[in-house]
Amino acid sequence: MDASQSESSKDAYLAREGRCKDLCTEVTYALEQALKKQGIKYHSVTSRVKTLDSFLEKIERKSYSDPLAQMDDLAGIRVVCLFLADLDRVSDVLSSLFEVITKEDKVRQERVEVFGYMSHHYICRLSSTHVGPRYDHIKDLRFEVQVRTILMDAWANASHYLSYKNEESVPQDLLRDFAALSGLLFVADRQFEALYVASSRSAAHAERDILRSKEVPPSEINADTIHALLLREYKDRALGNDAGISTFTSEIREVGFRDIQSVAKILQSIADVAARIESEDFSEGLNSVAFARMSLVLADSRFRELFLKRTLAKNDPELSSVESTVSGMLERVHEYGYEETESTDQVG
């Protein structure tokens, strides 16, 4: 590329750069909202406009005569998923949001090159539904979307910093290690997918057994069974997030509970009194995890001891009154006629 061609390409890039930034912003926002709406958990959605140096290098390497018309990835978006199954789910989202011009599947191709990274590549445009002044200046621009799992992304990012750019340039004594590592990550991705499927089945079985039974069965305590129990006991309350449920599960097991049925009996026995305390002490209703934790604090001495120990250990001035607050709650619990009938030493 001579000096005049280089200068012309720079001018073309600078004239297009701002529009591509706007395009990346719109596409990223639309994708994030659609993924959340579909309940697809993802690691990240990022975007970038190709740098001027990268733009010029690609023109030189590809011998482009009309780079803005021939280059599809000036604006690029990357979606990093958690599991293999999400790749197809994101594909459906892309098809519903944008006009997909081409799709390249580098995951299911026959041979995965050592230095090629696995992902799905899409060349897209905004769809006909994107109308109005907000989109007029970007509606005809193409953009690339790469969709990969978090392990695929790890391999791509790590291998990007290696000095070998193709398989032929690798020393033979390293080639096998590179191929083995790439294969190891691919197998790990499949195992994560298998664990995800097994976890989903476990959660479904727990909900079926606990929600559909007349009485809570004597099941193992784990995050799935606690999740199902909270749905059963507090169906009108917000549930709380997965991290909160996991922490609550650990607390229950730590104080000696081993059977979900025994937890259910205590929650059920204190339910009316706990609801009365909640209405007196909280301006808004608690979510399921918070209400269940408060119920066990009021109804079980060992759980109460653990709760106070962990709370006071935080050394947070705003939590200094928790111990007296709990004491005041307990006085009212006894006034309202509730007495502890079981300790965790006797359950499970």
Side-chain angles (χ1 to χ4, degrees), residues 130-152:
H130 295 89
V131 295
R134 177 172 175 172
Y135 305 107
D136 285 344
H137 67 304
I138 58 175
K139 63 183 180 181
D140 295 325
L141 300 181
R142 297 184 306 280
F143 57 92
E144 181 186 60
V145 181
Q146 296 179 1
V147 186
R148 56 174 68 153
T149 67
I150 195 167
L151 289 182
M152 294 172 188

mmCIF file with all atom_site columns, all heavy atoms in Angstrom, residues 130-152:
data_model
loop_
_atom_site.group_PDB
_atom_site.id
_atom_site.type_symbol
_atom_site.label_atom_id
_atom_site.label_alt_id
_atom_site.label_comp_id
_atom_site.label_asym_id
_atom_site.label_entity_id
_atom_site.label_seq_id
_atom_site.pdbx_PDB_ins_code
_atom_site.Cartn_x
_atom_site.Cartn_y
_atom_site.Cartn_z
_atom_site.occupancy
_atom_site.B_iso_or_equiv
_atom_site.pdbx_formal_charge
_atom_site.auth_seq_id
_atom_site.auth_comp_id
_atom_site.auth_asym_id
_atom_site.auth_atom_id
_atom_site.pdbx_PDB_model_num
ATOM 1   N N   . HIS A 1 130 ? -35.259 -1.685  13.440 1.00 0.00 ? 130 HIS A N   1
ATOM 2   C CA  . HIS A 1 130 ? -34.471 -0.570  13.969 1.00 0.00 ? 130 HIS A CA  1
ATOM 3   C C   . HIS A 1 130 ? -34.646 0.635   13.047 1.00 0.00 ? 130 HIS A C   1
ATOM 4   O O   . HIS A 1 130 ? -33.896 0.822   12.094 1.00 0.00 ? 130 HIS A O   1
ATOM 5   C CB  . HIS A 1 130 ? -32.990 -0.949  14.065 1.00 0.00 ? 130 HIS A CB  1
ATOM 6   C CG  . HIS A 1 130 ? -32.715 -2.044  15.046 1.00 0.00 ? 130 HIS A CG  1
ATOM 7   N ND1 . HIS A 1 130 ? -32.747 -3.388  14.697 1.00 0.00 ? 130 HIS A ND1 1
ATOM 8   C CD2 . HIS A 1 130 ? -32.411 -2.015  16.372 1.00 0.00 ? 130 HIS A CD2 1
ATOM 9   C CE1 . HIS A 1 130 ? -32.464 -4.122  15.756 1.00 0.00 ? 130 HIS A CE1 1
ATOM 10  N NE2 . HIS A 1 130 ? -32.254 -3.321  16.784 1.00 0.00 ? 130 HIS A NE2 1
ATOM 11  N N   . VAL A 1 131 ? -35.642 1.431   13.342 1.00 0.00 ? 131 VAL A N   1
ATOM 12  C CA  . VAL A 1 131 ? -35.971 2.572   12.483 1.00 0.00 ? 131 VAL A CA  1
ATOM 13  C C   . VAL A 1 131 ? -35.975 3.865   13.299 1.00 0.00 ? 131 VAL A C   1
ATOM 14  O O   . VAL A 1 131 ? -36.113 3.854   14.511 1.00 0.00 ? 131 VAL A O   1
ATOM 15  C CB  . VAL A 1 131 ? -37.347 2.374   11.799 1.00 0.00 ? 131 VAL A CB  1
ATOM 16  C CG1 . VAL A 1 131 ? -37.311 1.196   10.851 1.00 0.00 ? 131 VAL A CG1 1
ATOM 17  C CG2 . VAL A 1 131 ? -38.451 2.177   12.849 1.00 0.00 ? 131 VAL A CG2 1
ATOM 18  N N   . GLY A 1 132 ? -35.810 4.960   12.603 1.00 0.00 ? 132 GLY A N   1
ATOM 19  C CA  . GLY A 1 132 ? -35.846 6.263   13.244 1.00 0.00 ? 132 GLY A CA  1
ATOM 20  C C   . GLY A 1 132 ? -34.485 6.928   13.284 1.00 0.00 ? 132 GLY A C   1
ATOM 21  O O   . GLY A 1 132 ? -33.461 6.321   12.935 1.00 0.00 ? 132 GLY A O   1
ATOM 22  N N   . PRO A 1 133 ? -34.436 8.186   13.706 1.00 0.00 ? 133 PRO A N   1
ATOM 23  C CA  . PRO A 1 133 ? -33.186 8.964   13.711 1.00 0.00 ? 133 PRO A CA  1
ATOM 24  C C   . PRO A 1 133 ? -32.061 8.311   14.507 1.00 0.00 ? 133 PRO A C   1
ATOM 25  O O   . PRO A 1 133 ? -30.889 8.494   14.191 1.00 0.00 ? 133 PRO A O   1
ATOM 26  C CB  . PRO A 1 133 ? -33.612 10.291  14.354 1.00 0.00 ? 133 PRO A CB  1
ATOM 27  C CG  . PRO A 1 133 ? -35.085 10.384  14.104 1.00 0.00 ? 133 PRO A CG  1
ATOM 28  C CD  . PRO A 1 133 ? -35.598 8.983   14.146 1.00 0.00 ? 133 PRO A CD  1
ATOM 29  N N   . ARG A 1 134 ? -32.427 7.561   15.525 1.00 0.00 ? 134 ARG A N   1
ATOM 30  C CA  . ARG A 1 134 ? -31.405 6.917   16.361 1.00 0.00 ? 134 ARG A CA  1
ATOM 31  C C   . ARG A 1 134 ? -30.578 5.909   15.575 1.00 0.00 ? 134 ARG A C   1
ATOM 32  O O   . ARG A 1 134 ? -29.405 5.660   15.897 1.00 0.00 ? 134 ARG A O   1
ATOM 33  C CB  . ARG A 1 134 ? -32.094 6.238   17.538 1.00 0.00 ? 134 ARG A CB  1
ATOM 34  C CG  . ARG A 1 134 ? -31.179 5.469   18.459 1.00 0.00 ? 134 ARG A CG  1
ATOM 35  C CD  . ARG A 1 134 ? -31.949 5.009   19.673 1.00 0.00 ? 134 ARG A CD  1
ATOM 36  N NE  . ARG A 1 134 ? -31.165 4.166   20.557 1.00 0.00 ? 134 ARG A NE  1
ATOM 37  C CZ  . ARG A 1 134 ? -31.558 3.768   21.758 1.00 0.00 ? 134 ARG A CZ  1
ATOM 38  N NH1 . ARG A 1 134 ? -32.742 4.157   22.211 1.00 0.00 ? 134 ARG A NH1 1
ATOM 39  N NH2 . ARG A 1 134 ? -30.796 3.008   22.504 1.00 0.00 ? 134 ARG A NH2 1
ATOM 40  N N   . TYR A 1 135 ? -31.181 5.321   14.544 1.00 0.00 ? 135 TYR A N   1
ATOM 41  C CA  . TYR A 1 135 ? -30.519 4.248   13.804 1.00 0.00 ? 135 TYR A CA  1
ATOM 42  C C   . TYR A 1 135 ? -30.166 4.610   12.359 1.00 0.00 ? 135 TYR A C   1
ATOM 43  O O   . TYR A 1 135 ? -29.466 3.841   11.695 1.00 0.00 ? 135 TYR A O   1
ATOM 44  C CB  . TYR A 1 135 ? -31.407 3.002   13.785 1.00 0.00 ? 135 TYR A CB  1
ATOM 45  C CG  . TYR A 1 135 ? -31.834 2.536   15.148 1.00 0.00 ? 135 TYR A CG  1
ATOM 46  C CD1 . TYR A 1 135 ? -33.146 2.704   15.590 1.00 0.00 ? 135 TYR A CD1 1
ATOM 47  C CD2 . TYR A 1 135 ? -30.921 1.933   16.013 1.00 0.00 ? 135 TYR A CD2 1
ATOM 48  C CE1 . TYR A 1 135 ? -33.536 2.275   16.845 1.00 0.00 ? 135 TYR A CE1 1
ATOM 49  C CE2 . TYR A 1 135 ? -31.300 1.505   17.268 1.00 0.00 ? 135 TYR A CE2 1
ATOM 50  C CZ  . TYR A 1 135 ? -32.621 1.682   17.688 1.00 0.00 ? 135 TYR A CZ  1
ATOM 51  O OH  . TYR A 1 135 ? -33.005 1.258   18.933 1.00 0.00 ? 135 TYR A OH  1
ATOM 52  N N   . ASP A 1 136 ? -30.633 5.747   11.881 1.00 0.00 ? 136 ASP A N   1
ATOM 53  C CA  . ASP A 1 136 ? -30.457 6.078   10.456 1.00 0.00 ? 136 ASP A CA  1
ATOM 54  C C   . ASP A 1 136 ? -28.996 6.053   10.018 1.00 0.00 ? 136 ASP A C   1
ATOM 55  O O   . ASP A 1 136 ? -28.676 5.618   8.909  1.00 0.00 ? 136 ASP A O   1
ATOM 56  C CB  . ASP A 1 136 ? -31.066 7.446   10.149 1.00 0.00 ? 136 ASP A CB  1
ATOM 57  C CG  . ASP A 1 136 ? -32.593 7.398   10.110 1.00 0.00 ? 136 ASP A CG  1
ATOM 58  O OD1 . ASP A 1 136 ? -33.142 6.277   10.024 1.00 0.00 ? 136 ASP A OD1 1
ATOM 59  O OD2 . ASP A 1 136 ? -33.221 8.476   10.173 1.00 0.00 ? 136 ASP A OD2 1
ATOM 60  N N   . HIS A 1 137 ? -28.088 6.512   10.886 1.00 0.00 ? 137 HIS A N   1
ATOM 61  C CA  . HIS A 1 137 ? -26.680 6.614   10.482 1.00 0.00 ? 137 HIS A CA  1
ATOM 62  C C   . HIS A 1 137 ? -25.909 5.308   10.628 1.00 0.00 ? 137 HIS A C   1
ATOM 63  O O   . HIS A 1 137 ? -24.751 5.218   10.218 1.00 0.00 ? 137 HIS A O   1
ATOM 64  C CB  . HIS A 1 137 ? -25.987 7.728   11.280 1.00 0.00 ? 137 HIS A CB  1
ATOM 65  C CG  . HIS A 1 137 ? -25.839 7.442   12.743 1.00 0.00 ? 137 HIS A CG  1
ATOM 66  N ND1 . HIS A 1 137 ? -26.901 7.134   13.559 1.00 0.00 ? 137 HIS A ND1 1
ATOM 67  C CD2 . HIS A 1 137 ? -24.720 7.408   13.535 1.00 0.00 ? 137 HIS A CD2 1
ATOM 68  C CE1 . HIS A 1 137 ? -26.461 6.936   14.794 1.00 0.00 ? 137 HIS A CE1 1
ATOM 69  N NE2 . HIS A 1 137 ? -25.146 7.097   14.800 1.00 0.00 ? 137 HIS A NE2 1
ATOM 70  N N   . ILE A 1 138 ? -26.534 4.274   11.223 1.00 0.00 ? 138 ILE A N   1
ATOM 71  C CA  . ILE A 1 138 ? -25.807 3.013   11.448 1.00 0.00 ? 138 ILE A CA  1
ATOM 72  C C   . ILE A 1 138 ? -26.550 1.801   10.889 1.00 0.00 ? 138 ILE A C   1
ATOM 73  O O   . ILE A 1 138 ? -26.002 0.690   10.918 1.00 0.00 ? 138 ILE A O   1
ATOM 74  C CB  . ILE A 1 138 ? -25.557 2.779   12.955 1.00 0.00 ? 138 ILE A CB  1
ATOM 75  C CG1 . ILE A 1 138 ? -26.877 2.765   13.736 1.00 0.00 ? 138 ILE A CG1 1
ATOM 76  C CG2 . ILE A 1 138 ? -24.603 3.825   13.503 1.00 0.00 ? 138 ILE A CG2 1
ATOM 77  C CD1 . ILE A 1 138 ? -26.707 2.418   15.219 1.00 0.00 ? 138 ILE A CD1 1
ATOM 78  N N   . LYS A 1 139 ? -27.744 1.993   10.356 1.00 0.00 ? 139 LYS A N   1
ATOM 79  C CA  . LYS A 1 139 ? -28.572 0.833   9.999  1.00 0.00 ? 139 LYS A CA  1
ATOM 80  C C   . LYS A 1 139 ? -27.994 -0.001  8.857  1.00 0.00 ? 139 LYS A C   1
ATOM 81  O O   . LYS A 1 139 ? -28.319 -1.178  8.729  1.00 0.00 ? 139 LYS A O   1
ATOM 82  C CB  . LYS A 1 139 ? -29.992 1.285   9.648  1.00 0.00 ? 139 LYS A CB  1
ATOM 83  C CG  . LYS A 1 139 ? -30.079 2.200   8.430  1.00 0.00 ? 139 LYS A CG  1
ATOM 84  C CD  . LYS A 1 139 ? -31.519 2.641   8.217  1.00 0.00 ? 139 LYS A CD  1
ATOM 85  C CE  . LYS A 1 139 ? -31.643 3.561   6.990  1.00 0.00 ? 139 LYS A CE  1
ATOM 86  N NZ  . LYS A 1 139 ? -33.040 4.008   6.796  1.00 0.00 ? 139 LYS A NZ  1
ATOM 87  N N   . ASP A 1 140 ? -27.141 0.599   8.020  1.00 0.00 ? 140 ASP A N   1
ATOM 88  C CA  . ASP A 1 140 ? -26.584 -0.158  6.886  1.00 0.00 ? 140 ASP A CA  1
ATOM 89  C C   . ASP A 1 140 ? -25.200 -0.725  7.165  1.00 0.00 ? 140 ASP A C   1
ATOM 90  O O   . ASP A 1 140 ? -24.620 -1.405  6.304  1.00 0.00 ? 140 ASP A O   1
ATOM 91  C CB  . ASP A 1 140 ? -26.512 0.737   5.641  1.00 0.00 ? 140 ASP A CB  1
ATOM 92  C CG  . ASP A 1 140 ? -27.898 1.151   5.159  1.00 0.00 ? 140 ASP A CG  1
ATOM 93  O OD1 . ASP A 1 140 ? -28.823 0.325   5.282  1.00 0.00 ? 140 ASP A OD1 1
ATOM 94  O OD2 . ASP A 1 140 ? -28.040 2.284   4.672  1.00 0.00 ? 140 ASP A OD2 1
ATOM 95  N N   . LEU A 1 141 ? -24.656 -0.485  8.337  1.00 0.00 ? 141 LEU A N   1
ATOM 96  C CA  . LEU A 1 141 ? -23.309 -0.970  8.661  1.00 0.00 ? 141 LEU A CA  1
ATOM 97  C C   . LEU A 1 141 ? -23.348 -2.433  9.080  1.00 0.00 ? 141 LEU A C   1
ATOM 98  O O   . LEU A 1 141 ? -24.242 -2.872  9.797  1.00 0.00 ? 141 LEU A O   1
ATOM 99  C CB  . LEU A 1 141 ? -22.704 -0.139  9.795  1.00 0.00 ? 141 LEU A CB  1
ATOM 100 C CG  . LEU A 1 141 ? -22.522 1.364   9.550  1.00 0.00 ? 141 LEU A CG  1
ATOM 101 C CD1 . LEU A 1 141 ? -21.886 2.011   10.768 1.00 0.00 ? 141 LEU A CD1 1
ATOM 102 C CD2 . LEU A 1 141 ? -21.680 1.609   8.301  1.00 0.00 ? 141 LEU A CD2 1
ATOM 103 N N   . ARG A 1 142 ? -22.366 -3.188  8.642  1.00 0.00 ? 142 ARG A N   1
ATOM 104 C CA  . ARG A 1 142 ? -22.238 -4.569  9.072  1.00 0.00 ? 142 ARG A CA  1
ATOM 105 C C   . ARG A 1 142 ? -21.387 -4.624  10.348 1.00 0.00 ? 142 ARG A C   1
ATOM 106 O O   . ARG A 1 142 ? -20.528 -3.778  10.578 1.00 0.00 ? 142 ARG A O   1
ATOM 107 C CB  . ARG A 1 142 ? -21.582 -5.424  7.983  1.00 0.00 ? 142 ARG A CB  1
ATOM 108 C CG  . ARG A 1 142 ? -22.394 -5.504  6.704  1.00 0.00 ? 142 ARG A CG  1
ATOM 109 C CD  . ARG A 1 142 ? -21.750 -6.451  5.692  1.00 0.00 ? 142 ARG A CD  1
ATOM 110 N NE  . ARG A 1 142 ? -20.367 -6.131  5.415  1.00 0.00 ? 142 ARG A NE  1
ATOM 111 C CZ  . ARG A 1 142 ? -19.957 -5.174  4.585  1.00 0.00 ? 142 ARG A CZ  1
ATOM 112 N NH1 . ARG A 1 142 ? -20.850 -4.408  3.950  1.00 0.00 ? 142 ARG A NH1 1
ATOM 113 N NH2 . ARG A 1 142 ? -18.667 -4.948  4.388  1.00 0.00 ? 142 ARG A NH2 1
ATOM 114 N N   . PHE A 1 143 ? -21.625 -5.663  11.133 1.00 0.00 ? 143 PHE A N   1
ATOM 115 C CA  . PHE A 1 143 ? -20.806 -5.884  12.333 1.00 0.00 ? 143 PHE A CA  1
ATOM 116 C C   . PHE A 1 143 ? -20.645 -7.374  12.554 1.00 0.00 ? 143 PHE A C   1
ATOM 117 O O   . PHE A 1 143 ? -21.444 -8.192  12.082 1.00 0.00 ? 143 PHE A O   1
ATOM 118 C CB  . PHE A 1 143 ? -21.428 -5.221  13.569 1.00 0.00 ? 143 PHE A CB  1
ATOM 119 C CG  . PHE A 1 143 ? -22.839 -5.659  13.882 1.00 0.00 ? 143 PHE A CG  1
ATOM 120 C CD1 . PHE A 1 143 ? -23.081 -6.725  14.744 1.00 0.00 ? 143 PHE A CD1 1
ATOM 121 C CD2 . PHE A 1 143 ? -23.923 -4.991  13.321 1.00 0.00 ? 143 PHE A CD2 1
ATOM 122 C CE1 . PHE A 1 143 ? -24.384 -7.117  15.039 1.00 0.00 ? 143 PHE A CE1 1
ATOM 123 C CE2 . PHE A 1 143 ? -25.227 -5.378  13.608 1.00 0.00 ? 143 PHE A CE2 1
ATOM 124 C CZ  . PHE A 1 143 ? -25.463 -6.436  14.468 1.00 0.00 ? 143 PHE A CZ  1
ATOM 125 N N   . GLU A 1 144 ? -19.566 -7.719  13.250 1.00 0.00 ? 144 GLU A N   1
ATOM 126 C CA  . GLU A 1 144 ? -19.292 -9.125  13.554 1.00 0.00 ? 144 GLU A CA  1
ATOM 127 C C   . GLU A 1 144 ? -19.621 -9.407  15.012 1.00 0.00 ? 144 GLU A C   1
ATOM 128 O O   . GLU A 1 144 ? -19.328 -8.598  15.894 1.00 0.00 ? 144 GLU A O   1
ATOM 129 C CB  . GLU A 1 144 ? -17.821 -9.458  13.296 1.00 0.00 ? 144 GLU A CB  1
ATOM 130 C CG  . GLU A 1 144 ? -17.490 -10.930 13.572 1.00 0.00 ? 144 GLU A CG  1
ATOM 131 C CD  . GLU A 1 144 ? -16.004 -11.228 13.467 1.00 0.00 ? 144 GLU A CD  1
ATOM 132 O OE1 . GLU A 1 144 ? -15.227 -10.613 14.225 1.00 0.00 ? 144 GLU A OE1 1
ATOM 133 O OE2 . GLU A 1 144 ? -15.634 -12.072 12.631 1.00 0.00 ? 144 GLU A OE2 1
ATOM 134 N N   . VAL A 1 145 ? -20.246 -10.556 15.247 1.00 0.00 ? 145 VAL A N   1
ATOM 135 C CA  . VAL A 1 145 ? -20.480 -11.034 16.610 1.00 0.00 ? 145 VAL A CA  1
ATOM 136 C C   . VAL A 1 145 ? -19.779 -12.372 16.765 1.00 0.00 ? 145 VAL A C   1
ATOM 137 O O   . VAL A 1 145 ? -19.980 -13.291 15.965 1.00 0.00 ? 145 VAL A O   1
ATOM 138 C CB  . VAL A 1 145 ? -21.983 -11.203 16.911 1.00 0.00 ? 145 VAL A CB  1
ATOM 139 C CG1 . VAL A 1 145 ? -22.178 -11.675 18.352 1.00 0.00 ? 145 VAL A CG1 1
ATOM 140 C CG2 . VAL A 1 145 ? -22.744 -9.900  16.674 1.00 0.00 ? 145 VAL A CG2 1
ATOM 141 N N   . GLN A 1 146 ? -18.930 -12.480 17.772 1.00 0.00 ? 146 GLN A N   1
ATOM 142 C CA  . GLN A 1 146 ? -18.286 -13.748 18.122 1.00 0.00 ? 146 GLN A CA  1
ATOM 143 C C   . GLN A 1 146 ? -18.933 -14.270 19.399 1.00 0.00 ? 146 GLN A C   1
ATOM 144 O O   . GLN A 1 146 ? -19.096 -13.517 20.366 1.00 0.00 ? 146 GLN A O   1
ATOM 145 C CB  . GLN A 1 146 ? -16.790 -13.561 18.349 1.00 0.00 ? 146 GLN A CB  1
ATOM 146 C CG  . GLN A 1 146 ? -16.016 -13.129 17.119 1.00 0.00 ? 146 GLN A CG  1
ATOM 147 C CD  . GLN A 1 146 ? -14.542 -12.927 17.423 1.00 0.00 ? 146 GLN A CD  1
ATOM 148 O OE1 . GLN A 1 146 ? -14.085 -13.122 18.546 1.00 0.00 ? 146 GLN A OE1 1
ATOM 149 N NE2 . GLN A 1 146 ? -13.785 -12.527 16.416 1.00 0.00 ? 146 GLN A NE2 1
ATOM 150 N N   . VAL A 1 147 ? -19.298 -15.532 19.379 1.00 0.00 ? 147 VAL A N   1
ATOM 151 C CA  . VAL A 1 147 ? -19.917 -16.162 20.548 1.00 0.00 ? 147 VAL A CA  1
ATOM 152 C C   . VAL A 1 147 ? -19.082 -17.377 20.922 1.00 0.00 ? 147 VAL A C   1
ATOM 153 O O   . VAL A 1 147 ? -18.850 -18.258 20.094 1.00 0.00 ? 147 VAL A O   1
ATOM 154 C CB  . VAL A 1 147 ? -21.368 -16.592 20.267 1.00 0.00 ? 147 VAL A CB  1
ATOM 155 C CG1 . VAL A 1 147 ? -22.029 -17.103 21.544 1.00 0.00 ? 147 VAL A CG1 1
ATOM 156 C CG2 . VAL A 1 147 ? -22.174 -15.438 19.677 1.00 0.00 ? 147 VAL A CG2 1
ATOM 157 N N   . ARG A 1 148 ? -18.621 -17.413 22.157 1.00 0.00 ? 148 ARG A N   1
ATOM 158 C CA  . ARG A 1 148 ? -17.770 -18.524 22.611 1.00 0.00 ? 148 ARG A CA  1
ATOM 159 C C   . ARG A 1 148 ? -18.010 -18.777 24.090 1.00 0.00 ? 148 ARG A C   1
ATOM 160 O O   . ARG A 1 148 ? -18.600 -17.947 24.783 1.00 0.00 ? 148 ARG A O   1
ATOM 161 C CB  . ARG A 1 148 ? -16.295 -18.188 22.366 1.00 0.00 ? 148 ARG A CB  1
ATOM 162 C CG  . ARG A 1 148 ? -15.865 -16.896 23.025 1.00 0.00 ? 148 ARG A CG  1
ATOM 163 C CD  . ARG A 1 148 ? -14.371 -16.625 22.906 1.00 0.00 ? 148 ARG A CD  1
ATOM 164 N NE  . ARG A 1 148 ? -13.953 -16.353 21.547 1.00 0.00 ? 148 ARG A NE  1
ATOM 165 C CZ  . ARG A 1 148 ? -12.881 -15.609 21.240 1.00 0.00 ? 148 ARG A CZ  1
ATOM 166 N NH1 . ARG A 1 148 ? -12.171 -15.045 22.207 1.00 0.00 ? 148 ARG A NH1 1
ATOM 167 N NH2 . ARG A 1 148 ? -12.528 -15.415 19.995 1.00 0.00 ? 148 ARG A NH2 1
ATOM 168 N N   . THR A 1 149 ? -17.551 -19.919 24.565 1.00 0.00 ? 149 THR A N   1
ATOM 169 C CA  . THR A 1 149 ? -17.637 -20.197 25.997 1.00 0.00 ? 149 THR A CA  1
ATOM 170 C C   . THR A 1 149 ? -16.469 -19.545 26.715 1.00 0.00 ? 149 THR A C   1
ATOM 171 O O   . THR A 1 149 ? -15.494 -19.106 26.102 1.00 0.00 ? 149 THR A O   1
ATOM 172 C CB  . THR A 1 149 ? -17.614 -21.704 26.285 1.00 0.00 ? 149 THR A CB  1
ATOM 173 O OG1 . THR A 1 149 ? -16.320 -22.222 25.943 1.00 0.00 ? 149 THR A OG1 1
ATOM 174 C CG2 . THR A 1 149 ? -18.697 -22.445 25.489 1.00 0.00 ? 149 THR A CG2 1
ATOM 175 N N   . ILE A 1 150 ? -16.544 -19.535 28.027 1.00 0.00 ? 150 ILE A N   1
ATOM 176 C CA  . ILE A 1 150 ? -15.504 -18.885 28.822 1.00 0.00 ? 150 ILE A CA  1
ATOM 177 C C   . ILE A 1 150 ? -14.166 -19.615 28.691 1.00 0.00 ? 150 ILE A C   1
ATOM 178 O O   . ILE A 1 150 ? -13.100 -18.996 28.714 1.00 0.00 ? 150 ILE A O   1
ATOM 179 C CB  . ILE A 1 150 ? -15.954 -18.783 30.303 1.00 0.00 ? 150 ILE A CB  1
ATOM 180 C CG1 . ILE A 1 150 ? -15.062 -17.799 31.066 1.00 0.00 ? 150 ILE A CG1 1
ATOM 181 C CG2 . ILE A 1 150 ? -16.020 -20.138 30.975 1.00 0.00 ? 150 ILE A CG2 1
ATOM 182 C CD1 . ILE A 1 150 ? -15.619 -17.420 32.420 1.00 0.00 ? 150 ILE A CD1 1
ATOM 183 N N   . LEU A 1 151 ? -14.197 -20.947 28.494 1.00 0.00 ? 151 LEU A N   1
ATOM 184 C CA  . LEU A 1 151 ? -12.946 -21.680 28.309 1.00 0.00 ? 151 LEU A CA  1
ATOM 185 C C   . LEU A 1 151 ? -12.368 -21.453 26.925 1.00 0.00 ? 151 LEU A C   1
ATOM 186 O O   . LEU A 1 151 ? -11.148 -21.368 26.759 1.00 0.00 ? 151 LEU A O   1
ATOM 187 C CB  . LEU A 1 151 ? -13.172 -23.172 28.554 1.00 0.00 ? 151 LEU A CB  1
ATOM 188 C CG  . LEU A 1 151 ? -13.415 -23.570 30.014 1.00 0.00 ? 151 LEU A CG  1
ATOM 189 C CD1 . LEU A 1 151 ? -13.571 -25.080 30.138 1.00 0.00 ? 151 LEU A CD1 1
ATOM 190 C CD2 . LEU A 1 151 ? -12.292 -23.085 30.920 1.00 0.00 ? 151 LEU A CD2 1
ATOM 191 N N   . MET A 1 152 ? -13.224 -21.357 25.919 1.00 0.00 ? 152 MET A N   1
ATOM 192 C CA  . MET A 1 152 ? -12.754 -20.997 24.578 1.00 0.00 ? 152 MET A CA  1
ATOM 193 C C   . MET A 1 152 ? -12.098 -19.619 24.608 1.00 0.00 ? 152 MET A C   1
ATOM 194 O O   . MET A 1 152 ? -11.075 -19.382 23.966 1.00 0.00 ? 152 MET A O   1
ATOM 195 C CB  . MET A 1 152 ? -13.915 -20.990 23.588 1.00 0.00 ? 152 MET A CB  1
ATOM 196 C CG  . MET A 1 152 ? -14.535 -22.336 23.326 1.00 0.00 ? 152 MET A CG  1
ATOM 197 S SD  . MET A 1 152 ? -16.028 -22.142 22.315 1.00 0.00 ? 152 MET A SD  1
ATOM 198 C CE  . MET A 1 152 ? -16.679 -23.821 22.368 1.00 0.00 ? 152 MET A CE  1
#
